[in-house]
């Protein structure tokens, strides 16, 4: 019993679950890892795993800090926006220097609080007329003017551009048109590379002709429209022009001033957003309660209905047993140590984050009050309001429970994936063989494995990229969490399918050594190499200085030159018709030449075909050929003559050899018959000497063997030359096989050979000479009797297929079959030299010749020590025609 067969089956059965596992494990790893990451985000630290109380976690401390910071920012913004006094200003100098806002005019460049507040609520528009020109005065001061004002001053004559003497006259243009052109160029150059190249902008004069500005030094534009003006001035440009840079308290440039104005507007926008965000922390929407008081102005901000004093801890609903924070800022509390008294009980973990210092900085950076108090706490730990704290608590409780199982599943699934990855890598491509020794077998390759390597890579990577891009877009546009996870799962599964398709194909290609062999790059390189090789051969071909090649090159060169030259003349010359006619005649001549060459080539091919088909006396007509083709025809005709003489000589030699063999065989028969007769007479004498009897037996055996050999030689000679008279009759081939096997049954049994037959139930009728067919079968079975290995089986099979009777005989040779199958049918060939039988070596040759003479085919096959002979004869009568016949022979 073959014990290796279940191994191949088990490997095949294990491959499908391993592949399914490889597709499922990435999904398990992703979702479990996602759960672990989300749990980690919710817990914020490993210490959060140690407590079940969400309010004792650092995650809550961070969330509480973020909420308190947003509340303080909103309170500060609302307090600032409530400043409506006329004396409230935003000083650009304080913004430029990075100082805290005092809401006073400290640098002289300050805007009204209410003006900026109104401006921040307006939409931003832009206009090209906002271009600001920097004009240099003769004293070296820089004055600023809007482009629109500069244009009006030029138009009404307040300012004047001065052209170079004679320039207007030489160009033929008026002064007004020239001014418009300069203004247009000035406006255009603002968007390109400046105005330094504009010579007419030097020495701009006033009405009286005096130089007002020596140069236009710079241009800039504000990024937004400014509808308000600084305190005490008509505009920002008025402030910059009315003050000197030496004594101006605002130390920045006009560009800096525009930038700080934009920052001031952004401040008001941020204050508005923060103030509106404070509304989200009302009693109904938030679980956080807060109370803020300005200890100087006594202004109060809170989301509770309870009244309170400066001691915020006495407010109704507050308890030190619940999470809270109390912050104070005053003249005495200037560092962390002084303020820690308000942070004695946060009801948080020991490693609470943020630290006390963060809380203090939060209050100081979020308010402009120098003396204030802030209290924030959780009034009801059941968190009745649906805010982010309640959601975070629910997430914490859920994810804390799932964190450890998810982490364990992630690790286990990862390890299983690695093991499965290794298993598939090792076993992919192995054949499911009946034996376990598959190290030398080629892996099984499917259709995808036979695609070019680069194309297979594209077929895997491009769809994977498309799936990833499409899936991520769908996931990004999906607000439903469950739908989003389903989309991600589908993405992972599809990409996993593509990955394993490509990876396993890669493994099979590597094991089968087809990764590079089946590469498109290799094909291209091979094609390039072939092109270079052909080019080299072409160069080598033309490097041989023969008359025919030089003539061919000259003819081709002259033809191409004339074609090119005449083609150009057709389009360039007036006499195009004549040139076109010449071009037509040239092409017609080339066509006739090609036709004659093709006709000569066909004559040469026809002659070669006739000669190779055996018509050796055929001569190619040379009168229809010219040049090299005529020379080739002469050589071919000479080859035909030589082949004809060689064939005739070969046939004569074969005939003489056959006649010699036949004559010698006949001459041997007479003395051989006398020897056999005299040996028989001697055997009738009653010799008692054992030595004499032994010698007589040897003489008798050798004489009969020599007689058999002589008969075989004569038979082989007649069969090979066809010098036999066949008596063709209808024979039931199966019936004859049974008779032959009956004669050889005992001798086969003596050699311990078991005959296995597979014959059809219907007669297998053929047209043959019964005596010659008997000799064929007798030779085949005699060959088996001599050369088959003992204790083996001999298989005989008859098939009726395609109107043919096919007989197959197979056996295992006792000696190695170390020669080609076709040599076994040659005369006097007996296989391996080690064979010591007394055969003539003519049995298979005679069988083949007799088979062919009777219209059949004789084929031999050798596969290792397996010897197989196959006879095929046309079927005389179909089984359907014989269904009513009782005689198996007719």
């Amino acid at each position: 019993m073959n014990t290796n067969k279940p191994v191949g089956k088990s490997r095949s059965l294990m491959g499908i679950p391993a592949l399914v596992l490889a597709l499922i494990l990435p999904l398990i790893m992703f979702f479990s890892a996602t759960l672990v990451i989300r749990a980690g985000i919710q817990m914020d630290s490993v210490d959060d795993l140690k407590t079940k109380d969400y309010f004792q976690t650092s995650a809550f401390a961070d969330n509480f800090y973020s909420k308190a910071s947003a509340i303080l920012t909103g309170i500060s913004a609302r307090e600032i926006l409530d400043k409506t006094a006329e004396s409230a200003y935003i000083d650009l100098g304080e913004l430029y220097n990075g100082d805290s806002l005092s809401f006073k005019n400290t640098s002289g460049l300050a805007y009204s609080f209410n003006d900026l507040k109104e401006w921040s609520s307006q939409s931003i528009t832009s206009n090209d007329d906002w271009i600001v020109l920097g004009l240099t005065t003769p004293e070296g001061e820089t004055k600023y003017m809007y482009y629109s004002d500069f244009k009006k001053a030029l138009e009404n004559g307040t300012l004047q551009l001065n052209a170079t003497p004679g320039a207007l006259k030489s160009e033929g243009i008026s002064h007004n048109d020239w001014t418009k052109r300069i203004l247009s160029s000035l406006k255009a150059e603002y968007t390109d590379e400046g105005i330094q190249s504009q010579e007419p902008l030097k020495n701009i004069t006033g009405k009286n002709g005096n130089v007002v500005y020596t140069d236009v030094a710079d241009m800039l534009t504000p990024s937004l429209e400014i509808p308000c003006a600084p305190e005490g001035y008509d505009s920002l440009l008025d402030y910059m022009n009315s003050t000197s840079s030496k004594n101006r308290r605002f130390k920045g440039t006009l560009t800096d001033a525009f930038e700080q104005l934009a920052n001031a507007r952004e401040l008001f926008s941020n204050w508005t957003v923060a103030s509106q965000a404070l509304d989200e922390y009302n009693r109904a929407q938030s679980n956080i309660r807060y109370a803020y008081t300005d200890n100087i102005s006594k202004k109060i901000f809170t989301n509770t209905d309870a009244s309170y004093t400066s001691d915020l801890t006495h407010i109704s609903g507050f308890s030190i047993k619940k999470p809270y924070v109390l912050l104070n800022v005053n003249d005495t509390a200037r560092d962390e140590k002084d303020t820690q008294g308000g942070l004695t009980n946060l009801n948080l973990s020991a490693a609470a984050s943020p630290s006390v210092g963060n809380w203090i900085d939060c209050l100081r950076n979020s308010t402009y009050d120098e003396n204030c108090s802030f209290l924030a706490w959780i009034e009801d730990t059941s968190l009745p309001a649906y805010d982010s704290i309640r959601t975070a608590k629910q997430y914490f409780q859920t994810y804390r429970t799932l964190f450890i199982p998810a982490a364990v599943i992630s690790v286990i699934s990862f390890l299983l994936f690695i093991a499965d990855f290794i298993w598939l890598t090792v076993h992919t491509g192995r054949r499911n063989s009946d034996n376990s020794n598959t190290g030398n077998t080629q892996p099984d390759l499917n259709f995808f494995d036979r695609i070019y390597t680069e194309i297979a890579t594209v077929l895997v990577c491009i769809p994977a990229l498309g799936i990833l891009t499409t899936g991520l877009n769908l996931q990004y546009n999906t607000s439903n969490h469950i739908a989003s996870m389903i989309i991600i799962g589908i993405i992972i599964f599809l990409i996993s399918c593509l990955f394993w398709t490509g990876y396993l194909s890669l493994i099979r290609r590597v094991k089968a050594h087809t990764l590079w062999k089946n590469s498109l790059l290799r094909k291209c390189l091979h094609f390039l190499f072939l092109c270079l090789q052909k080019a080299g051969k072409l160069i080598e071909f033309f490097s041989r200085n023969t008359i025919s090649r030089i003539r061919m090159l000259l003819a081709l060169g002259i033809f191409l030159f004339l074609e090119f030259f005449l083609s150009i003349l057709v389009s360039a010359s007036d006499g195009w018709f004549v040139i076109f006619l010449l071009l037509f005649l040239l092409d017609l001549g080339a066509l006739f030449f090609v036709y004659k060459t093709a006709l000569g080539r066909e004559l040469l091919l026809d002659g070669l075909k006739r000669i190779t088909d055996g018509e050796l006396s055929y001569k190619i007509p040379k009168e229809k050929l010219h040049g090299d083709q005529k020379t080739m025809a002469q050589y071919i005709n000479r080859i035909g003559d030589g082949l004809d003489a060689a064939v005739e000589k070969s046939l004569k030699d074969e005939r003489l050899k056959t006649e010699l063999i036949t004559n010698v065989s006949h001459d041997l028969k007479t003395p051989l018959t006398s020897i056999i007769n005299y040996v028989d007479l001697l055997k009738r004498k009653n010799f008692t000497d054992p030595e004499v009897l032994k010698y007589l037996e040897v003489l008798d055996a050798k004489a009969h063997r020599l007689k058999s050999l002589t008969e075989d030689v004569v038979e082989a000679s007649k069969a090979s030359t066809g010098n036999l008279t066949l008596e063709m009759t209808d024979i039931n081939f199966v019936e004859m096989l049974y008779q032959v096997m009956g004669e050889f049954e005992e001798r086969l049994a003596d050699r311990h050979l078991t005959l296995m037959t597979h014959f059809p139930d219907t007669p297998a009728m053929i047209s043959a000479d019964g005596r010659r067919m008997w000799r064929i079968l007798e030779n085949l079975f005699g060959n088996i009797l001599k050369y088959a290995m003992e204790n083996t089986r001999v298989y005989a099979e008859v098939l009726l297929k395609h109107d043919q009777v096919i007989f197959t005989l197979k056996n295992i040779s006792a000696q190695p079959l170390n020669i080609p199958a076709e040599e076994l049918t040659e005369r006097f060939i007996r296989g391996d030299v080690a064979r010591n039988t007394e055969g003539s070596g003519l049995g298979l040759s005679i069988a083949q010749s007799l088979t062919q003479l009777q219209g059949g085919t004789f084929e031999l096959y050798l596969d290792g020590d397996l010897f197989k002979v196959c006879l095929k004869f046309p079927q005389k009568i179909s089984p359907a025609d014989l269904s009513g016949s009782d005689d198996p022979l007719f």
Side-chain angles (χ1 to χ4, degrees):
M1 183 168 74
N2 192 346
T3 58
N4 292 324
K5 192 172 183 178
V7 176
K9 290 185 177 180
S10 64
R11 185 186 300 119
S12 177
L13 294 175
M14 289 178 64
I16 297 176
L19 187 57
V20 172
L21 194 63
L23 296 176
I24 295 175
L25 285 175
L27 293 172
I28 299 175
M29 283 192 295
F30 172 78
F31 289 115
S32 59
T34 301
L35 195 59
V36 171
I37 294 172
R38 284 183 171 271
I41 293 173
Q42 295 298 324
M43 291 184 293
D44 195 50
S45 68
V46 180
D47 293 334
D48 291 350
L49 285 172
K50 301 176 182 178
T51 178
K52 296 181 180 180
D53 186 2
Y54 173 67
F55 300 107
Q56 293 296 318
T57 63
S58 57
F60 168 73
D62 288 337
N63 198 359
F64 191 68
Y65 175 84
S66 176
K67 302 296 182 185
S69 178
I71 292 171
L72 282 171
T73 303
I75 291 173
S76 178
R78 184 165 295 181
E79 190 176 14
I80 292 173
L81 293 175
D82 287 345
K83 293 181 182 291
T84 57
E86 293 294 333
S87 59
Y89 297 97
I90 299 295
D91 190 277
L92 298 188
E94 293 177 349
L95 290 176
Y96 179 74
N97 297 327
D99 299 334
S100 300
L101 293 178
S102 63
F103 300 103
K104 297 178 182 180
N105 188 350
T106 59
S107 68
L109 183 57
Y111 284 79
S112 169
F113 189 90
N114 290 332
D115 289 347
L116 291 177
K117 181 178 179 181
E118 182 180 355
W119 178 40
S120 67
S121 63
Q122 298 174 1
S123 59
I124 298 176
T125 58
S126 61
N127 194 309
D128 290 341
D129 290 337
W130 296 351
I131 298 173
V132 178
L133 302 178
L135 306 171
T136 305
T137 64
E139 292 79 16
E141 291 287 339
T142 300
K143 300 300 181 181
Y144 299 97
M145 182 181 297
Y146 283 110
Y147 170 82
S148 57
D149 294 337
F150 183 72
K151 180 180 179 182
K152 290 178 182 178
L154 292 177
E155 290 173 348
N156 59 31
T158 305
L159 297 176
Q160 186 173 359
L161 299 177
N162 300 302
T164 304
L168 297 181
K169 185 177 180 180
S170 63
E171 293 190 22
I173 188 172
S174 66
H175 188 277
N176 288 335
D177 291 340
W178 178 74
T179 301
K180 291 179 181 178
R181 189 173 73 178
I182 294 299
L183 287 174
S184 177
S185 177
L186 175 65
K187 189 174 181 179
E189 283 204 18
Y190 167 74
T191 58
D192 294 330
E193 296 180 358
I195 59 174
Q196 285 74 14
S197 63
Q198 290 291 339
E199 185 65 29
L201 295 179
K202 307 287 186 181
N203 299 326
I204 302 171
T205 59
K207 290 182 177 181
N208 53 9
N210 296 328
V211 176
V212 181
Y213 303 110
T214 61
D215 193 7
V216 179
D218 196 7
M219 292 193 303
L220 57 90
T221 183
S223 59
L224 64 169
E225 185 180 11
I226 306 172
C228 51
E231 179 65 19
Y233 299 93
D234 294 336
S235 66
L236 179 59
L237 268 61
D238 184 30
Y239 168 79
M240 300 300 292
N241 293 334
S242 301
T243 58
S244 173
S245 60
K246 297 179 180 180
N247 53 18
R248 188 186 301 147
R249 282 182 290 174
F250 179 77
K251 300 303 180 182
T253 62
L254 179 62
T255 303
D256 297 328
F258 279 129
E259 183 180 350
Q260 297 310 320
L261 265 177
N263 292 338
R265 189 181 190 281
E266 186 178 359
L267 273 178
F268 274 91
S269 298
N270 293 338
W271 288 336
T272 301
V273 172
S275 176
Q276 293 172 353
L278 187 63
D279 295 335
E280 299 177 3
Y281 292 92
N282 58 59
R283 187 177 185 86
Q285 292 180 291
S286 176
N287 290 298
I288 293 180
R289 302 291 175 261
Y290 67 86
Y292 176 90
T293 179
D294 185 343
N295 295 327
I296 298 176
S297 65
K298 304 303 181 182
K299 193 169 185 178
I300 296 173
F301 293 90
T302 185
N303 63 349
T304 67
D305 297 331
S307 59
Y308 57 91
T309 62
S310 58
D311 187 0
L312 299 180
T313 57
H314 292 163
I315 193 170
S316 175
F318 172 74
S319 173
I320 61 173
K321 296 182 179 179
K322 298 175 182 178
Y324 79 97
V325 61
L326 176 61
L327 303 174
N328 294 296
V329 174
N330 49 53
D331 293 337
T332 59
R334 296 188 181 277
D335 54 29
E336 179 178 335
K337 183 178 180 181
D338 295 335
T339 317
Q340 282 185 356
L343 296 163
T344 54
N345 189 356
L346 282 173
N347 285 344
L348 303 175
S349 62
S353 177
S355 65
V356 174
N358 295 131
W359 281 106
I360 298 170
D361 292 338
C362 176
L363 179 59
R364 286 176 174 171
N365 296 332
S366 301
T367 181
Y368 294 97
D369 296 331
E370 297 179 355
N371 192 341
C372 61
S373 300
F374 175 71
L375 175 66
W377 75 96
I378 302 294
E379 185 178 49
D380 188 352
T381 54
S382 65
L383 305 177
Y386 287 92
D387 62 354
S388 61
I389 293 181
R390 174 171 175 167
T391 302
K393 181 182 178 182
Q394 292 174 346
Y395 282 156
F396 168 78
Q397 292 174 342
T398 301
Y399 287 122
R400 182 185 178 278
T401 304
L402 298 177
F403 178 80
I404 294 178
V408 172
I409 292 174
S410 297
V411 173
I412 293 176
S413 60
F414 176 76
L415 295 176
L416 285 176
F417 180 80
I418 295 299
D420 193 36
F421 184 89
I422 296 173
W423 192 94
L424 287 172
T425 301
V426 173
H427 292 87
T428 294
R430 287 191 177 180
R431 293 181 182 271
N432 298 322
S433 177
D434 288 341
N435 55 64
S436 59
N437 185 17
T438 59
N440 296 325
T441 59
Q442 288 292 324
D444 290 319
L445 299 179
N446 55 35
F447 169 76
F448 186 80
D449 300 334
R450 293 181 173 86
I451 299 175
Y452 288 124
T453 302
E454 292 82 359
I455 297 178
T457 303
V458 171
L459 291 177
V460 171
C461 295
I462 297 300
L465 184 61
I467 291 170
L468 182 62
T469 304
T470 305
L472 291 179
N473 289 334
L474 290 174
Q475 192 268 342
Y476 179 78
N477 296 322
T478 302
S479 57
N480 187 287
H481 180 69
I482 296 177
S484 177
M485 297 303 290
I486 291 175
I487 291 173
I488 293 177
I490 294 174
I491 293 173
I492 294 174
F493 179 77
L494 293 178
I495 291 180
S496 296
C497 292
L498 290 172
F499 167 78
W500 284 113
T501 299
Y503 177 74
L504 296 181
S505 176
L506 175 64
I507 295 301
R508 288 190 291 268
R509 291 167 190 261
V510 172
K511 292 182 178 180
H513 306 291
T514 60
L515 181 64
W516 173 247
K517 181 179 179 181
N518 199 25
S519 171
L520 190 61
L521 177 60
R522 178 181 176 272
K523 299 290 183 183
C524 294
L525 293 176
H526 181 66
F527 176 75
L528 180 61
F529 175 75
L530 290 179
C531 291
L532 293 175
Q533 193 177 36
K534 294 294 183 182
K537 291 182 178 179
L538 186 62
I539 293 173
E540 182 183 357
F541 174 79
F542 283 106
S543 65
R544 301 171 185 171
N545 190 17
T546 60
I547 300 300
S548 61
R549 290 161 193 170
I550 294 175
R551 187 168 60 241
M552 180 183 67
L553 285 176
L554 289 176
L556 180 61
I558 293 172
F559 174 77
L560 292 177
F561 173 76
L562 292 176
E563 280 278 314
F564 178 74
F565 181 73
L566 293 176
S567 298
I568 294 177
L569 291 180
V570 167
S571 59
S573 176
D574 294 334
W576 64 270
F577 179 76
V578 176
I579 299 174
F580 179 78
L581 182 61
L582 291 175
L583 185 62
F584 174 75
L585 293 176
L586 178 65
D587 291 338
L588 189 63
L591 178 62
F592 179 75
F593 174 77
V594 172
Y595 169 74
K596 290 289 290 182
T597 303
L599 184 62
R601 179 173 175 272
E602 290 181 0
L603 287 174
L604 292 174
L605 289 175
D606 181 65
L608 287 172
K609 183 177 183 301
R610 289 191 178 190
I611 293 173
T612 54
D613 289 342
E615 195 175 344
L616 301 179
S617 60
Y618 177 78
K619 303 298 180 185
I620 299 175
K622 295 182 291 182
E623 60 274 6
K624 297 181 180 180
L625 301 176
H626 303 278
D628 293 340
Q629 290 183 344
K630 187 173 184 178
T631 304
M632 291 173 63
Q634 292 175 353
Y635 290 148
I636 293 172
N637 290 337
R638 291 178 186 176
I639 292 174
D641 293 339
L643 288 175
D644 191 11
V647 169
E648 184 177 355
K649 183 177 183 300
S650 177
L651 291 176
K652 182 179 180 181
D653 292 343
E654 184 68 22
R655 186 167 56 254
L656 290 175
K657 183 173 65 174
T658 303
E659 291 176 356
L660 176 62
I661 293 173
T662 304
N663 293 333
V664 170
S665 300
H666 280 290
D667 291 341
L668 288 174
K669 282 185 177 181
T670 301
L672 184 58
T673 303
S674 299
I675 293 173
I676 293 174
N677 291 333
Y678 281 113
V679 170
D680 185 59
L681 291 174
L682 289 174
K683 290 174 65 176
R684 293 178 182 180
K685 299 295 182 179
N686 295 323
F687 294 108
T688 57
D689 188 353
E691 290 291 332
V692 174
L693 294 175
K694 180 179 178 182
Y695 296 153
L696 288 176
E697 290 293 332
V698 172
L699 285 173
D700 185 54
K702 298 300 181 181
H704 281 89
R705 182 172 182 276
L706 184 58
K707 180 182 179 181
S708 175
L709 178 59
T710 303
E711 292 174 352
D712 286 346
V713 169
V714 174
E715 186 83 13
S717 177
K718 291 181 178 180
S720 62
T721 57
N723 190 18
L724 286 177
T725 301
L726 299 178
E727 298 179 3
M728 305 295 287
T729 59
D730 293 342
I731 297 174
N732 187 342
F733 187 76
V734 175
E735 186 69 23
M736 179 173 285
L737 272 175
Y738 278 123
Q739 295 174 9
V740 173
M741 289 187 300
E743 287 199 6
F744 280 88
E745 183 176 1
E746 291 185 4
R747 286 185 283 175
L748 290 173
D750 293 340
R751 291 290 307 279
H752 305 288
L753 296 174
T754 303
L755 189 60
M756 309 295 292
T757 60
H758 184 268
F759 298 155
D761 296 333
T762 59
M765 304 302 296
I766 63 173
S767 178
D769 185 324
R771 188 166 67 86
R772 307 300 180 186
M773 182 58 65
W774 183 277
R775 180 63 185 276
I776 293 172
L777 296 177
E778 185 180 35
N779 285 0
L780 293 179
F781 279 96
N783 188 73
I784 289 175
L785 193 64
K786 296 174 183 177
Y787 303 123
M789 180 183 291
E790 293 188 5
N791 298 309
T792 59
R793 286 182 288 271
V794 178
Y795 294 89
E797 181 182 25
V798 176
L799 294 177
L800 304 179
K801 189 175 181 181
H802 303 302
D803 295 329
Q804 283 188 322
V805 176
I806 303 173
F807 170 60
T808 304
L809 192 62
K810 295 183 290 185
N811 69 278
I812 301 298
S813 174
Q815 299 296 332
L817 297 176
N818 55 351
I819 58 175
E822 57 271 13
E823 290 189 12
L824 287 178
T825 56
E826 295 181 6
R827 299 177 187 177
F828 307 106
I829 297 296
R830 294 191 294 125
D832 194 278
V833 294
R835 292 179 175 179
N836 52 11
T837 61
E838 296 184 351
S840 63
L842 295 172
L844 294 179
S845 177
I846 293 172
Q848 181 185 44
S849 299
L850 292 177
T851 301
Q852 294 173 351
L853 285 175
Q854 297 178 83
T857 59
F858 185 96
E859 298 174 352
L860 286 181
Y861 303 96
L862 301 180
D863 187 0
D865 292 335
L866 175 65
F867 175 86
K868 175 182 176 183
V869 61
C870 180
L871 303 182
K872 296 180 182 178
F873 291 95
Q875 188 175 0
K876 184 64 176 178
I877 302 175
S878 64
D881 297 334
L882 298 173
S883 58
S885 178
D886 296 329
D887 191 347
L889 294 176
F890 299 97

